[in-house]
Amino acid sequence: MSATAEYTRRLLAAAMLLALAACSTTEVASLEEPTAAPMTGQTNDPAPGFENVAAGSEEDFILNVGRRIYFKQDSAALDSVAMATLDNQAVWLNRNPTWLLKLQGFADDSGSASKMETLSQKRADAAMAYLASKGVDPKRMWAKGYGNDREVRDCTERSCKVQNRRVVTNLRTQPDAV
């Protein structure tokens, strides 16, 4: 490379550095980002961006209660973790009685399609029965098993398959069309 080309390259690099140093993103950031709510240092402080989630909203349910429970392979039995999540759901649902809920059951691919559809229905029914036992009006709920038609992940590892063995509680404002 000639001395002139090298000098020009260095001069251009220096000019770019000076231009970057002169830039300030503070004003742009203040226009694009909402101001964060003051943090109290408590573990229940809202995550940035979720400070304004309305109590009783679908976002509140998803973020603060949880809408998924998981099962062991070939089982529709609720374990202690699933029951704890369903207990939280029941408390929230009893405080917010206008919401309806659809319990969607799913399975992995560890058996025939018909077996997995039956199992996923049993899972959804188990979750619905548990919520009813905690005071949630059964008229507000319906359950549907989907088998392994709607896998979260298509995989073969055991740790991955558990994500497909689930019940998802979806809030609704009206019943699904028949």
Side-chain angles (χ1 to χ4, degrees):
M1 184 181 293
S2 72
T4 306
E6 179 64 23
Y7 176 76
T8 304
R9 188 181 67 78
R10 287 183 186 214
L11 187 60
L12 183 59
M16 290 172 64
L17 284 173
L18 284 172
L20 285 172
C23 288
S24 172
T25 59
T26 306
E27 291 176 16
V28 173
S30 68
L31 294 174
E32 293 176 358
E33 295 291 327
T35 55
M39 293 297 178
T40 63
Q42 300 296 313
T43 57
N44 62 347
D45 279 344
F50 295 99
E51 300 87 358
N52 298 320
V53 172
S57 67
E58 188 171 10
E59 293 83 5
D60 177 40
F61 182 78
I62 293 167
L63 290 170
N64 298 314
V65 178
R67 64 183 197 154
R68 288 183 173 84
I69 59 172
Y70 298 93
F71 295 84
K72 293 180 181 174
Q73 185 172 349
D74 297 324
S75 174
L78 299 170
D79 65 14
S80 61
V81 175
M83 286 189 274
T85 300
L86 291 169
D87 287 340
N88 290 335
Q89 288 182 6
V91 168
W92 192 94
L93 290 162
N94 286 328
R95 267 189 303 194
N96 298 281
T98 58
W99 286 106
L100 305 176
L101 56 151
K102 180 179 185 178
L103 296 150
Q104 297 178 296
F106 302 94
D108 61 20
D109 59 359
S110 61
S112 70
S114 64
K115 179 183 172 191
M116 294 299 99
E117 188 172 326
T118 300
L119 178 59
S120 66
Q121 184 66 49
K122 287 180 181 177
R123 289 173 174 165
D125 290 340
M128 189 167 76
Y130 189 86
L131 289 170
S133 78
K134 297 296 179 175
V136 179
D137 185 352
K139 294 178 195 151
R140 295 172 57 197
M141 303 183 277
W142 64 98
K144 172 74 174 139
Y146 289 94
N148 62 348
D149 285 347
R150 300 179 183 186
E151 291 182 322
V152 173
R153 297 190 58 201
D154 183 16
C155 54
T156 57
E157 300 87 38
R158 182 174 166 233
S159 62
C160 174
K161 284 182 163 239
V162 72
Q163 296 174 44
N164 294 323
R165 300 190 298 261
R166 69 198 188 282
V167 167
V168 179
T169 303
N170 288 300
L171 300 180
R172 298 281 196 262
T173 55
Q174 59 187 4
D176 288 351
V178 179

